[in-house]
Structure formats: structure tokens, C-alpha cells
Amino acid sequence: MKKIYFILLLILCFTNGYAQREAGIWYFGANAGINFNSGAPVALTNGNLNTQEGCATYSDKDGNLLFYTDGSTVYNAQHSEMQNGSGLLGQNSSTQSAIVIPKPGSSSIYYIFTVDAPNKQNADDDFTNDIGDGKNDGLNYTEVDMRLNGGLGGVTNKNNPLTTYNPSNSDETKFKCSEKITAVQHADGISFWVITHFIDNFYAFKITRSGVQTNPVISKTLITVPLTGYLANAQGYLKSSPNGKKLAVAHGATKTSDLLIVKTGEIVLRRNTGKVFLYDFNNSTGLISNETGILSGENPYGVEFSSKSKKLYVNSNEFNSEYNITGSTLYQFDLESSNITASKTKIRSFDFNAGALQLAIDEKIYIAGYVPMENGRSRLTVINNPEANASSCIFGEFSLNSRKSLLGLPPFIQSLFLFNFKYEFTCVGDATHFFINTVETIDSVLWDFGDGTTSTDIDAYHIYGAPGTYNVSLTKTTNGETKDPIVKEVVINEKPVILSTAYQLIQCDSYDSNPNDELSTFNLENSIAALTLNKADDFNVYFYLNDTDAKNDLYNENSLTLIYKNTVPNQILTAKILYKDSDCFSLGKVELIANSSLLLNASDFIGCDIGDGTASFDFSTKENEIKSSLNLPSTVVIYFYDSEENAINDVSPLGNDYISSEKPIYFRAENNGLCYGAGTFNLIVNYFPPVESDENVPVCENSFPIEINAGIPLDIQQNYSYNWSNGENTYQISVANEQQISVTIKDKIFLCEKVKTFNINKVYTPKIIDININLNNNTVAIITENNFDNLYVIDNPYNNYQSENTFYNVTPGLHTVYAKNKYDCGITAKNIFVLGFPKFFTPNNDGINDLWEIKGLNFEEFRYSNILIFNRFGKHLATINPDSGWDGIYNGEFLPSDDYWFSIDVTDDRNLTKTYKAHFSLLRL
């Protein structure tokens, strides 16, 4: 049989035609790297990564390096930091800190998804033990545009957060994610799924032509990985099978608490709680189901599928009795077995710890890891034939040429490693192209196009006769072995139905130096509705100079800008019109016609100041004025714009009611939809003198009448008219009583007006109606009948007044208090008496404090009742004259030490009586 060695050199297809070479270069570990593009791996020593675990690399379809990252810094193909490429929120000690996804339908935009290491130190309240930026940043994505910086790329949109936790759960928000992430192609052959796991949920984010869909598909798991065991519980790999049907996840630990084990005097982390689970994945819906536990009671880390998704490999760390890592064990699971869990086979033990397992485009699996206490390992272990049964697996070693492997290897979109086929040109009548993305030797192929026709051409073309969805299958024979068919749904679309003739986009030849050269600036967006037969929402439209440019721009990245200036009169452009989410297109035509334009003169538009340097303008009034002053036809319609650019491009016309500061305004006139003329004028704000719209005028009760005025400066008072609400029309008027009155102030020339309102309030002199005296702390509070910002002073009316009505620590005796308001409408005075009495007395006949008596009574100004003495239970003990004292004796007996109360009535010169009560102490020493 004649064999064909087929290498696909051109993968420029409309169905996201990536091939295996995107995973052709790896950078990882301590400056290590590998190039797989020649067929045999070659060690690279020019990398800049130095990462314990997480890393990611991506190349173009031909295997040329684009960039690589440790999740924090992005390096370009020249191994320099990419433009704006620092500060990503991944972490190089996160198991899978990053993965790269190309934006579907674009050859230049890529997304870097990053996961932080969710450290417990960043989740507690102790800021002294924080790691990195002091918080757990969770899952984020960053956009890279390879068109920037001369093709070396640049980061354009950094650290967009994605929610993989319950925002209402405070514990979950502290950690946000695990360290796991994987990606696989959607069943539509265009989109992708990015998948992660946290606690008891999988989160699958869809990436489409429109970008990253931030609302994930959430699938609940039976296993719950507790936050109490983080960071160890977060570690371990997550991988999708290349065929997109399975997921495998390694939970490095599932500890339920921070329990530690004390061993030989040392405290060590609890071990052997890790688990591995296998799931079914629906790459159409993103749902994950059928949880199967396949490994438990160990310390797993890496997982990987064989390229044909028939075998699964898992490695796990081994510990000695001192809980130190002594090496690792590699297991194989047969995914075609009826009992996958029971198919577990230990195939090899290693003297190095468990690191990443990563499938390469040579269909071999590479194993990272290093001997504990060493600074890395200068080689990778290789499973040369991962599809073989456990007993037949052949291992090898790959030298890293003095560079070091640590724990991580770069993950990729797992579909890169799947035997697959691609297709392009999916419109009815196109020769749809089917091709294979592989570098292996092919004996023969059989295509079944799903409409009853077949082909044995490796590079096949087929024309479908009708739109619809077709199940296309490819059966390949390699080295005498016929593989299982690969089946895809291929959707064939009708070409868009569009305007069959050239659409004439007409513009005024205005706002340039030559209004008659038929050259102008056009807004091409104004042609889209007509081109799409008023169904613009159904299509994406791109404009080109000609049909060739439109057809060759496969990703629609080189189209003309929508604001375009024609280069020749009546220039004809090509419009490429595509159904949204489809690459099926039709080509339409747009003719750019720039009509000669009249220069229209208009006077400046004056508006009345509304108080902040702006004015309100009514453009309907201005339109009528322009049409009248220039004697324009009644069919002319005028549009106004706030910039020359908007006027030229006919975008964002202004409404009739417009508030603005002073600025130029541009306008264009159309007659029956055709260009008529254009012009400009200035908006002028007629500034009003600063006048308060509301003024409160307090007037003392004895000060009426008063004079009030409109508040216009003397030198311009004659420029305004004044119309008062009481009918007067002078600048100043007299007001005889309390009232509200307003004046309308009008500019005599421009008729701008403002209304000023006066609130005339009668203010009364404060009247003191009561005095509250607290004998226990000698405070005096003045109570007034009315309060117009009252002020108070005690004893001297010429001292400084205070706004507080209470005075503290007033000495016993006679005082005078004064009250007035801040408008000085008069002063009110009142005499008061503050009782003074001892707080205690000691009747021990030592001549000191033997009697309790009230001091400082003023018998000229006040009358006093007898003083009544009570015990604390209210029993009357004694009645004494106000000018005498009490010796603490009752019925000839010495009363004990205790608190006692007194009461006295005080009558002032107005015959008003107040009763004062307080307590004091009797002390027997």
C-alpha cells in the first residue's frame, strides 16, 4: 500500500482551525524548555521562567512561540517582559497558575486564565503573615493582543475576575478558588470551555467569538473539599480528556480540619487524605456528571489522559514514617474497562516527588518532579507509549540540557492532542474544505459528508446542495490500523440575503477646504440598515476597498474603519455581510457620493445663564430662525452637532433641548434626504449677575418697616426691569411686616430673567420663662419662650455671650442671667438664686463641720421657707429655720452615718415659688 506522509502547512480556516503545534513549545521550571516542532523534542535553554509549579506557553499554528507566563509575568517571543505584561494575579506556586485560550474567530487575541494559590494566611485576620498581595485573588482572565508592539504582543485588559464561589459566604470569598484549571474545545468546534473546581462545584466558562462568558455552567459534586484543609486541599491537577468526554481531578488532600500530627517531637501536616475522581463531561452543555472515585487514601498530584482518551495516569507522593517525601508512585487506569476503579495498576515508583503529567504533541506523556532536598531535576521522565497497557509501558528520560524541572509543566487546551479534522467555507454553494490536523503518516482516509456522498481524498472538498446540519465522519488508517471514526456536526448556511444593488451613501462635501471636490468623510454605519434590508441586528458588517480584500481577511481584522474619507469621487466599497456566529457571508456594494454643499451662515445663539455657567438652548427655535433668515425651503431639515467630526459623520445629533456652556455648534441641512448645506455658530451664555434665588431676612419686631432691593450691582441696575409680586416695579421697595415677597429681574435686551424670593421673618426678643437649677452640680439652664439663635451670659451683660443655654459650676448666691438673639433685638434679664449647701458634715464636736446649714441666702431678694430634713426612706426628722443649722440629732439620739435629704421653698420678687431638694451625707468619724 502506498503511504502518504501528510503535513498540513496552511490552517487558515473559518472554524477556529488550530492544530497541535500551538502546544509545540514548552517553558517551565528553572529556565527549562522543550521544542517539539521538529518531530523529536529538543531542549531549550533560553527561557526566563523560574517557577515552582504553575506555567503556560502558547505558540501559533505553525509552532512559532508567541508568549509564556508563570501566571504573574508574561514573556514575549524574544523572552522579554511583554508590554504591560506584569502584575497578573496567578501565582507560580499554584498547581496550574495559568492556561492560554485563543479567542474564537480571531488570529491575534488570546486570553490568559490565571488561578491564585489560596493561602490560609491571606484568609485570616492577621495581616502580619500575609503572602504576596495579601489576598487570595481567585480566578481571573487577561487579554493579550498580538498585533501590539510590532507583533510581539501586549496585555490590553488585565485581571478580569470570574466568580467561582458563593459571594454571600464569607469563608468562600476569602479563598475564592482552588489551584485547578483545564480547557477543552466545545462540541461546536469553535468555542472552548475553561473549567475549574472549588469545594463542591465545577465551574465551566464558555469562550465564544464574543469573548468570555462570565456566567459559568455550575455542576455540583458529591465530594466536598473542605476549606479547613487549605492550602493542601487546593493542590493537584485537573485535566479534560482530549476527546472532551471525561474530566479527572486530583485533590492533593481532603482534610476536614487543621489537625496536625506530632511525630518524634516534630509537628507535621496530616497526610494520606487525598483522592482522585473521574467524571463525564458534556462538551455541548458544559455539565459534569457521574462522579466516580478511583483513588483515595493517598497524596495525588498529577493526572493526564492518553491522546486517544483510553488511558488515565495519576501520580502520588509517598511518605516515610517521619512524614517526609521519599518518592512517588505512578498508576494507570483503563478507561475502556467496565470497572475503571478496579483497573488501577501501579506501573512504576520513582525516587522524585509527584509533579505534573503532561501530554505532548508527540503523543507521549512527560513527568515532572525532583528528588526532595535537591534544587530541581535536570531531566523529565517520559511514557513513550501511553496507549499501551500497564505492563507494556515503555519509559525513557529526556535531558533538559542543564536546566531544571521542578513540579509544573504547561497545560494546554486538551483538544490539541486529539486526532481531529477541521473544515472551512460553510455557505451553500461553497466548496467546503475538510482537512486533518496531524503530522503522522496516514495510509488512507474515508470521508462521509452526511448527505450520501463520500471521498478518499485526504484534503477533501465538497459542495452541499442545501442548507442544514450534516453529520460528517472521518475514518483514518495509520500504519495498517483503522481508527474509530471521528464525527462532527457541520452546519451549512444560506448566504445572507442582502441589497442586490449598490447603496448610495450621500454626504455633504462640507467642513473642508474645497466644498466642490466631491470628497468628504462618511459614516459607513449609516449604510448597514439598507444593505441588510433593515435586519442589521442579525449581521456583522465589515467594509473593504474591494472584494479581494474582503475575501482574504479571514478573521475580519483588517477592515476599514467605519468613519472613512473617500479618495476619489463616487468611490465604491465592498461590504462583507455575515450572519452573527457564522462565517457565511455575502458581498454588497456602497457608493460614496459627496454632494456640493452650500455654506450657510447663522448668527450666534444666546441663552440665559441658569446659574452654573451654562444656559438652556432650544434648537427648534434656532432651526426656525435659520430657515427664516436664509429663506430656506420648508422641506429643509436642520441637524445640530457638538463637534465638527460628529457633523461630518452624521453621528449623535443634538436634541431640541440642550444645556451647555459656551461652545461652537455645527449644523447640516438636508432637503428631502439630500445634502443641502452646512454651517456653524456659537452658543453664547448671557451671564446674570450673581443673585440668590432665596433670601431669608430676619427683622427685629421693632425694626419695621425695612428696605429690600433686587441685589443687582449699582453700575448695571439700569439694564434690568424689576417686577415685584406686590405690583411695585422699582429696584428697591419698603416692607412693613412679616411676609414672603418676590421680584422678577429681567434683562431688557435678551429678556433673560430670574426670580428672587425674600422670606421676611419677624424676630422677637427672647423671653425667659424658667430657670432650671441643679443643686447637685450647680448647673443653671435658661429656658426661653422663643429662640432665634439665642445667646446667653451670666452676671455681666457686656461679657461674651454663648450659644449654649446652660452654665456649669455656678457659685452659690444671687446671680443675674441675660438672654438675647444674634440679631440684637433686645436683652432680657432675670435674677436667680443658687443654693449652696455642704455635701457632708461631721458632728463630732471638733469645731469643724459640726452643723449642716445652707449658706449665702439673700433675704432682701427672696423669701425662704423652713428647711425640712428627711432620711433616705422619706421619714421627716427635723424642721429648721433657713438661717440656722442641723446637728444630726433626732429625739435626743445621734443619727448614724448615712445619706439625708432636705427640702426648701424659695419665693422671688414676682411671688413665684420653687421648691429645691437635694441630699447630703452625715459622717460619724
Side-chain angles (χ1 to χ4, degrees), residues 656-763:
N656 284 336
D657 296 322
Y658 186 63
I659 295 176
S660 174
S661 57
E662 293 186 341
K663 65 194 305 185
I665 293 294
Y666 303 84
F667 66 93
R668 47 187 288 151
E670 295 183 3
N671 191 9
N672 294 320
L674 300 179
C675 172
Y676 187 88
T680 185
F681 57 85
N682 293 311
L683 296 182
I684 304 296
V685 176
N686 179 33
Y687 294 101
F688 228 86
V691 174
E692 292 185 32
S693 58
D694 287 281
E695 183 177 344
N696 291 315
V697 183
V699 182
C700 294
E701 55 185 321
N702 297 320
S703 297
F704 286 100
I706 63 166
E707 300 292 321
I708 59 174
N709 61 66
I712 300 297
L714 178 63
D715 59 335
I716 57 173
Q717 288 177 11
Q718 70 279 5
N719 297 335
Y720 300 88
S721 63
Y722 310 96
N723 183 20
W724 294 86
S725 56
N726 65 356
E728 297 190 53
N729 55 17
T730 58
Y731 170 73
Q732 181 171 294
I733 65 171
S734 178
V735 178
N737 51 44
E738 185 176 45
Q739 62 181 285
Q740 184 183 82
I741 191 169
S742 62
V743 59
T744 300
I745 308 167
K746 181 178 290 187
D747 186 306
K748 294 178 180 178
I749 298 176
F750 300 110
L751 304 182
C752 296
E753 64 180 38
K754 278 192 176 182
V755 176
K756 178 179 176 68
T757 299
F758 295 86
N759 298 298
I760 313 296
N761 301 308
K762 183 183 293 186
V763 177

Side-chain angles (χ1 to χ4, degrees), residues 470-499:
Y470 298 89
N471 291 317
V472 178
S473 68
L474 168 63
T475 304
K476 178 184 69 168
T477 301
T478 302
N479 296 323
E481 178 186 1
T482 300
K483 309 293 183 179
D484 293 337
I486 300 296
V487 181
K488 283 190 176 185
E489 288 186 350
V490 176
V491 178
I492 302 298
N493 294 304
E494 288 275 15
K495 289 186 177 182
V497 178
I498 64 172
L499 185 67

Side-chain angles (χ1 to χ4, degrees), residues 97-216:
S97 66
I99 193 168
V100 181
I101 310 296
K103 182 179 181 181
S106 173
S107 63
S108 58
I109 304 299
Y110 297 83
Y111 300 114
I112 303 174
F113 288 80
T114 58
V115 284
D116 196 7
N119 286 285
K120 186 171 183 178
Q121 293 94 319
N122 290 342
D124 61 24
D125 296 325
D126 183 359
F127 298 108
T128 64
N129 65 357
D130 287 349
I131 297 174
D133 63 3
K135 59 182 179 179
N136 295 321
D137 294 303
L139 174 64
N140 294 268
Y141 72 93
T142 290
E143 184 175 311
V144 172
D145 189 341
M146 290 306 300
R147 294 171 295 187
L148 300 179
N149 197 23
L152 292 174
V155 170
T156 58
N157 190 1
K158 191 183 300 182
N159 297 327
N160 300 279
L162 296 170
T163 302
T164 59
Y165 53 90
N166 180 1
S168 62
N169 185 308
S170 60
D171 289 331
E172 291 191 24
T173 58
K174 292 176 181 178
F175 289 92
K176 292 188 176 67
C177 72
S178 67
E179 297 184 358
K180 311 174 194 303
I181 193 167
T182 191
V184 70
Q185 194 170 38
H186 190 281
D188 62 13
I190 298 172
S191 308
F192 298 99
W193 294 106
V194 171
I195 308 159
T196 187
H197 181 271
F198 185 51
I199 304 179
D200 60 351
N201 283 309
F202 279 104
Y203 298 85
F205 293 89
K206 188 177 180 183
I207 294 88
T208 68
R209 295 175 186 269
S210 301
V212 178
Q213 295 185 357
T214 58
N215 293 323

